[in-house]
Amino acid sequence: MSENRTGKVYLVGAGPSDPGLFTRKGEAVLKLADVVVYDALVGPGIMNLIPREARKINVGKRSSNHTMPQEEISRLLVEEAKAGNCVVRLKGGDPFLFGRGGEELELLTANEIPYEVVPGVTSALSVPAYNGIPVTHRDYCSSLHIITGHKRAGASYDIDFEALVNTKGTLVFLMGIAALADICSGLLEAGMDPATPAAVLSRGTTARQQRLCAPLGELSAKAAETKIPTPAIIVVGKVCALSEEFAWYEKLPLFGKRILVTRPKELISGMAERLRKQGAEVLELPAIRIEPCEVKEELKTALHQLSKYQWLVFTSPTGVRVFFDLLRSEKIDVRTMYQAKFAVIGEGTAKELRKFGLYEDLMPEEYYGEALGKALKERLNGTEKILIPRARIGNPKLVEELLSVDGTSVTDLPIYDTVYEKNELLDLKRMTEQGELDYAVFTSASTVKGFAEAAGELDYTKITAVCIGRQTQAAAAALGMKTIVSDKATMDSVVEKIAEISVK
């Protein structure tokens, strides 16, 4: 950011909610942002992609509930760009499809502010697709019409319903739930057959997705009876009759489950992707942040004397990654470890080690610190020097087990700190109280503590924690959470456990 140059504004479509439908260009632009001006309909999974250091400005914008008037939003974009910022205007869906993006560009253009537009996947296409409704099908229709269902208070619709009926195409109304009765009556009065298949699609692409299908003549009454929640879209046309046959999203094993994943941000995507493939909606909460330790004399000395150690012990994938980053920064050749053997706490740590062309010599049957210490102790004769590069706050029982072998030398070397993260974008208290979280996944005791720091005062008894390992389970249980432990300390085992308990 610079006071001496004009910044730039990006109008970015965030899609319907599923972060898998966010475009690659949208994500790339978001990573550059100094300031993010976002709407209420931007999904939480996409919000978590915003850089931690970026300033976030919530301008609301749901139907009949605007945190900031459109004119002020446009002026805000100009002011932030003139201050030299890279500004991302993040909108649900597509910025030019009833997103008022054109109005924002008018003021940017008048003030000679550079800008780009990044299109987004519109709910008019994606939400029907997630409900098994193809908006066009050559056996049923040959056109698609997207209409805003929103109207000013007290005003009548400026919609030619007769023209819409005459198209014989699929009609998609956005932002129209409050006026559903008016829309249905307008189409019926224009001559549309009351038996025409229609649907209200609520919270599409999320775990709370709902679909109400009914003939057009009955749709409004049935929607009022079921009180189907917003945000929702209305689809009218013969293709709606295909929804039961073509529905696919709700058939996935974890459909309907909203799962919170807590890991360091750089490790979270693997677990989240596994769960999403099974149909879960995943909320990513980077509850901790990894900060490598400053390379001071003790750390430098240990790294430059690796040849003296017979065992290197790694207690996490993060420890492996940070360790080899340090070797690169200090220009230390891995061949200096030629005589060392490697002990790892579990499969995830072993997998990370293998990325560097090295394979574990020892891994305990149970993946926790004390078990690792006991397994390694059986391999010692009392002459070995052992290096444990790990977090500054590590499990003391590992070292205690190793030091119980007379003559063994153990260097417990802090190479990174675990910093607890705050997250102002997820309202964990509301989600918990309203039962909107099915499970929370914890992969270490530190992520449990990080979650508690981020959540603050919370009724933890309402949270079901799926944990890797005993220490993680103990930390979650100490807060009062209901706990379930995966059979193995691997991400795949966590996903399998969630699938198992979800069908009971």
Side-chain angles (χ1 to χ4, degrees):
M1 186 178 75
S2 170
E3 295 290 334
N4 299 319
R5 64 173 176 84
T6 299
K8 187 171 184 176
V9 175
Y10 293 87
L11 268 62
V12 178
S17 187
D18 184 345
L21 299 180
F22 191 36
T23 67
R24 291 173 64 183
K25 184 170 183 179
E27 183 175 0
V29 166
L30 195 56
K31 291 177 180 178
L32 304 175
D34 299 311
V35 180
V36 178
V37 180
Y38 65 95
D39 286 349
L41 291 178
V42 177
I46 294 164
M47 292 296 295
N48 274 321
L49 298 174
I50 298 174
R52 183 171 55 89
E53 60 276 8
R55 189 153 41 89
K56 306 164 190 68
I57 303 174
N58 179 7
V59 295
K61 291 196 69 178
R62 280 185 187 267
S63 179
S64 304
N65 182 17
H66 290 199
T67 301
M68 183 182 293
Q70 180 61 52
E71 295 75 14
E72 290 187 28
I73 295 172
S74 298
R75 284 197 295 271
L76 175 66
L77 300 179
V78 171
E79 291 169 3
E80 292 291 350
K82 284 186 174 180
N85 291 310
C86 175
V87 184
V88 170
R89 174 71 175 100
L90 194 60
K91 296 169 173 282
D94 179 88
F96 279 179
L97 187 61
F98 307 131
R100 303 184 74 173
E103 295 173 49
E104 293 170 354
L105 292 192
E106 287 175 359
L107 196 59
L108 294 174
T109 301
N111 284 270
E112 299 183 338
I113 303 295
Y115 60 80
E116 287 188 30
V117 180
V118 182
V121 177
T122 173
S123 61
L125 302 179
S126 56
V127 172
Y130 268 54
N131 281 274
I133 299 175
V135 291
T136 63
H137 189 297
R138 70 177 182 174
D139 293 337
Y140 295 91
C141 67
S142 58
S143 64
L144 165 68
H145 310 270
I146 303 172
I147 309 102
T148 176
H150 180 68
K151 65 176 182 177
R152 295 182 184 274
S156 59
Y157 271 115
D158 185 20
I159 295 176
D160 189 340
F161 284 106
E162 187 173 342
L164 289 176
V165 172
N166 289 336
T167 66
K168 298 181 181 179
T170 303
L171 309 179
V172 178
F173 293 86
L174 304 183
M175 303 175 291
I177 293 303
L180 177 59
D182 291 338
I183 291 170
C184 291
S185 63
L187 292 171
L188 293 169
E189 289 169 8
M192 184 170 280
D193 186 345
T196 301
V200 175
L201 309 178
S202 169
R203 300 178 179 179
T205 80
T206 76
R208 300 302 184 255
Q209 174 173 298
Q210 294 182 44
R211 177 175 68 256
L212 170 65
C213 292
L216 177 63
E218 302 172 20
L219 186 65
S220 178
K222 288 196 173 184
E225 181 184 328
T226 58
K227 297 180 180 178
I228 194 162
T230 58
I233 70 171
I234 304 160
V235 185
V236 181
K238 294 178 181 179
V239 290
C240 292
L242 298 169
S243 63
E244 291 302 319
E245 181 183 356
F246 289 172
W248 60 272
Y249 186 40
E250 60 208 53
K251 295 177 182 178
L252 295 174
L254 294 180
F255 169 75
K257 301 301 180 185
R258 178 179 268 188
I259 301 172
L260 185 75
V261 175
T262 59
R263 300 193 82 192
K265 191 164 188 174
E266 62 272 17
L267 296 177
I268 211 165
S269 58
M271 174 71 78
E273 184 61 25
R274 284 170 168 82
L275 292 168
R276 288 188 180 116
K277 283 182 178 178
Q278 298 293 311
E281 179 186 1
V282 181
L283 304 180
E284 300 178 22
L285 180 71
I288 59 176
R289 185 174 77 254
I290 302 304
E291 290 189 354
C293 294
E294 184 182 348
V295 182
K296 294 185 178 179
E297 198 57 39
E298 179 188 8
L299 178 53
K300 186 185 287 285
T301 299
L303 292 174
H304 283 274
Q305 294 181 358
L306 292 176
S307 60
K308 75 177 186 179
Y309 295 103
Q310 284 74 51
W311 283 95
L312 267 68
V313 180
F314 292 104
T315 61
S316 69
T318 296
V320 174
R321 192 175 58 259
V322 173
F323 177 76
F324 283 95
D325 284 345
L326 286 168
L327 294 192
R328 276 192 292 267
S329 68
E330 290 293 307
K331 296 183 173 59
I332 297 172
D333 195 316
V334 293
R335 288 174 293 185
T336 59
M337 300 183 289
Y338 71 96
Q339 68 172 350
K341 293 182 178 180
F342 298 91
V344 298
I345 200 166
E347 184 60 40
T349 307
K351 186 176 180 180
E352 193 69 28
L353 185 65
R354 292 167 198 160
K355 291 179 182 178
F356 297 93
L358 301 169
Y359 288 79
E360 70 280 5
D361 298 283
L362 182 146
M363 181 169 63
E365 292 185 5
E366 295 185 86
Y367 301 165
Y368 63 99
E370 188 175 359
L372 175 59
K374 288 179 178 179
L376 181 53
K377 185 170 69 172
E378 295 178 2
R379 301 278 294 270
L380 303 178
N381 59 29
T383 62
E384 292 90 349
K385 290 182 172 59
I386 301 170
L387 178 67
I388 311 176
R390 60 176 180 169
R392 191 181 301 275
I393 303 175
N395 182 0
K397 291 185 178 180
L398 168 60
V399 176
E400 290 170 7
E401 287 289 343
L402 298 176
L403 289 178
S404 66
V405 179
D406 290 339
T408 298
S409 170
V410 178
T411 301
D412 190 4
L413 184 68
I415 61 171
Y416 67 90
D417 288 304
T418 300
V419 180
Y420 299 134
E421 291 270 48
K422 291 287 185 182
N423 189 305
E424 70 274 21
L425 299 175
L426 291 181
D427 189 344
L428 297 171
K429 184 177 178 64
R430 180 190 59 78
M431 288 181 181
T432 303
E433 290 175 349
Q434 296 183 8
E436 293 185 4
L437 289 178
D438 295 288
Y439 307 111
V441 173
F442 298 104
T443 56
S444 67
S446 60
T447 60
V448 176
K449 294 171 186 174
F451 173 79
E453 289 279 332
E457 292 185 12
L458 208 63
D459 184 355
Y460 291 100
T461 63
K462 293 184 176 180
I463 294 176
T464 299
V466 183
C467 306
I468 284 183
R470 297 180 186 178
Q471 288 179 308
T472 307
Q473 181 190 29
L479 290 171
M481 297 182 196
K482 297 184 282 289
T483 61
I484 297 167
V485 182
S486 60
D487 296 331
K488 296 180 180 179
T490 66
M491 292 191 293
D492 287 335
S493 184
V494 168
V495 176
E496 289 167 5
K497 178 60 68 174
I498 292 173
E500 176 188 322
I501 61 180
S502 294
V503 297
K504 290 183 178 180

